[in-house]
Amino acid sequence: MGILSKFTDKREAAAAESQSRAEEFIYLIRVYYQSVMAVQMGITNMNILNDMALFKRMLKIPTQNNKLGVAEKSKVRKILMQDYGLGEIFFKEIDISIKKNCRTINDVQGYFFKFQGFCTDLFKLMESQMGWKFRFSMLFKKFLYKNTRNMVHEIVNRSEWQDINVQKAAWVIRKYKESLGYSEEWMTDFIYHVIVLSSRGKKKK
């Protein structure tokens, strides 16, 4: 049972248990994003940061030094590192990306809209281009990580594609990457975890 279902009542827990580990992982990533925003921009209105607010209430996290986001950032970061094996660099890149793109509260919605587009386009292109390698490598984690890393590198660096639609999609992702400031390593780690966790969720179901 995951973190979402641990702190809900019995009725909600039944629904929470049906959620995949991938959904939980992405939820925790959103909590980290919102915690960083709260710290960097001094946001005090939790209604703007609904995922972090839910996380704070579920785990009963006290506000540290009268500053929203500090304790929440530390807690969710610890969970992501311990339970999902993410390293320091992964979080540093998020911190830098938010600092670069979010200078006022008005920038928050635009940032998440951009990030959502980046993720959606990237996953679609990854799945369509990896083909049989994507399905086969689900059986072997090292092989999956290697294929994921190679495909990310190709999307970011390849200049010409046979399919014009694939080429356009790759260019869009590259623009997102440059704007958000994420490295190939960050993209690989993020995609790899979602793929692995989605696979586990399907096996359980």
Side-chain angles (χ1 to χ4, degrees):
M1 188 181 295
I3 192 169
L4 293 178
S5 55
K6 283 181 181 179
F7 300 94
T8 52
D9 61 28
K10 291 181 179 180
R11 179 180 293 181
E12 292 175 330
E17 284 181 348
S18 67
Q19 292 182 327
S20 70
R21 291 274 290 171
E23 290 172 333
E24 182 177 290
F25 173 72
I26 292 172
Y27 166 76
L28 291 172
I29 292 292
R30 289 201 308 266
V31 171
Y32 185 81
Y33 271 89
Q34 293 178 14
S35 299
V36 173
M37 289 174 175
V39 173
Q40 291 193 5
M41 291 183 283
I43 298 174
T44 57
N45 183 1
M46 285 201 300
N47 293 327
I48 299 174
L49 310 170
N50 53 350
D51 292 309
M52 191 198 72
L54 176 61
F55 180 78
K56 182 180 180 67
R57 289 194 296 269
M58 287 194 302
L59 274 64
K60 299 180 180 178
I61 301 173
T63 301
Q64 185 175 327
N65 298 328
N66 293 320
K67 193 169 183 180
L68 190 64
V70 175
E72 295 78 13
K73 176 184 175 182
S74 177
K75 181 66 175 179
V76 73
R77 181 173 174 275
K78 183 178 180 180
I79 293 172
L80 286 166
M81 292 182 77
Q82 291 182 346
D83 294 359
Y84 299 94
L86 295 175
E88 294 280 354
I89 296 177
F90 186 88
F91 300 102
K92 285 182 180 179
E93 290 202 24
I94 293 176
D95 294 358
I96 293 170
S97 176
I98 293 174
K99 186 175 182 180
K100 173 187 174 184
N101 290 276
C102 297
R103 298 182 180 179
T104 68
I105 295 178
N106 293 331
D107 296 329
V108 171
Q109 186 174 358
Y111 181 88
F112 277 123
F113 182 78
K114 186 187 298 182
F115 181 72
Q116 181 63 45
F118 171 66
C119 292
T120 301
D121 291 348
L122 182 57
F123 276 105
K124 283 183 179 179
L125 189 55
M126 287 287 296
E127 188 171 6
S128 68
Q129 291 305 300
M130 286 181 75
W132 68 269
K133 290 182 180 180
F134 181 87
R135 295 185 293 273
F136 176 74
S137 59
M138 298 292 256
L139 302 173
F140 308 98
K141 288 186 178 181
K142 288 184 178 179
F143 188 53
L144 172 60
Y145 189 87
K146 180 181 178 181
N147 279 324
T148 302
R149 182 182 60 201
N150 291 342
M151 193 67 243
V152 167
H153 179 76
E154 194 168 353
I155 290 172
V156 172
N157 294 282
R158 185 172 173 178
S159 57
E160 294 184 4
W161 302 74
Q162 289 184 345
D163 189 328
I164 188 63
N165 291 323
V166 172
Q167 183 165 306
K168 288 179 179 179
W171 285 348
V172 170
I173 292 168
R174 203 171 303 175
K175 287 181 179 179
Y176 277 132
K177 175 187 177 296
E178 292 173 357
S179 177
L180 294 168
Y182 291 119
S183 66
E184 291 181 37
E185 181 181 357
W186 190 94
M187 293 166 65
T188 300
D189 285 345
F190 180 69
I191 296 167
Y192 170 78
H193 278 85
V194 174
I195 293 172
V196 169
L197 293 168
S198 295
S199 175
R200 289 177 183 174
K202 290 177 181 177
K203 287 180 181 178
K204 286 183 179 181
K205 289 180 183 179

